[in-house]
């Protein structure tokens, strides 16, 4: 069983920055991939960024150039550095991990960007 715990969310003004963290139980080097998803009110959950076991990354078009996903295997933690935040980035940010063909989810951390 994999447990994921997010932190780092909060209220920030447009143009500001936040760094989200996702701490995992067990070794994240064994995960096929990890990712950050965003759930905004009234909208479908969407992939924000993903990083594979080989550290290959991909991003949603809306965040390219502003967000950076990374991982620290020694700390079993994944990060999402978010810069130049916009009001449309507001939402519940959830950490996900794929391990042995199963997807695991955290509870999420709220990000609110005020204009």
């Amino acid at each position: 069983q994999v447990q994921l715990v997010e932190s780092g969310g909060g209220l920030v003004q447009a143009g500001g920055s936040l760094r989200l963290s996702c701490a995992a139980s067990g070794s994240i080097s064994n995960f096929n991939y990890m990712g950050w998803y965003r759930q905004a009110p009234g909208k479908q959950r969407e992939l924000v960024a993903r990083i594979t076991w080989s550290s290959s990354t991909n991003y949603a078009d809306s965040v390219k150039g502003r967000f950076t996903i990374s991982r620290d295997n020694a700390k079993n933690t994944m990060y999402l550095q978010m810069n130049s935040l916009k009001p449309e980035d507001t939402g519940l940010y959830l950490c996900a991990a794929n391990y042995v063909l199963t997807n695991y989810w955290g509870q999420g951390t709220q990000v609110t960007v005020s204009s």
Side-chain angles (χ1 to χ4, degrees):
Q1 187 74 14
V2 174
Q3 292 184 325
L4 304 170
V5 179
E6 303 96 333
S7 62
L11 174 63
V12 64
Q13 288 189 330
S17 298
L18 284 173
R19 188 175 83 151
L20 306 183
S21 299
C22 173
S25 61
S27 175
I28 68 171
S29 61
N30 294 327
F31 296 167
N32 292 325
Y33 58 84
M34 297 183 73
W36 288 99
Y37 289 75
R38 177 166 67 196
Q39 180 79 59
K43 295 185 178 181
Q44 286 189 329
R45 185 175 295 181
E46 62 173 342
L47 174 68
V48 175
R50 193 175 80 162
I51 185 166
T52 70
W53 66 272
S54 62
S55 294
S56 175
T57 59
N58 62 285
Y59 297 89
D61 288 342
S62 60
V63 307
K64 283 180 181 177
R66 300 188 297 122
F67 291 11
T68 303
I69 190 171
S70 62
R71 60 195 289 170
D72 185 334
N73 289 349
K75 295 182 178 180
N76 291 320
T77 302
M78 176 182 65
Y79 304 97
L80 185 69
Q81 178 65 45
M82 305 187 295
N83 299 327
S84 302
L85 282 161
K86 303 175 181 181
E88 51 264 42
D89 294 318
T90 293
L92 182 67
Y93 282 71
L94 300 117
C95 170
N98 181 271
Y99 176 63
V100 193
L101 303 180
T102 300
N103 291 325
Y104 296 89
W105 295 88
Q107 294 298 307
T109 185
Q110 179 68 34
V111 171
T112 303
V113 184
S114 63
S115 57

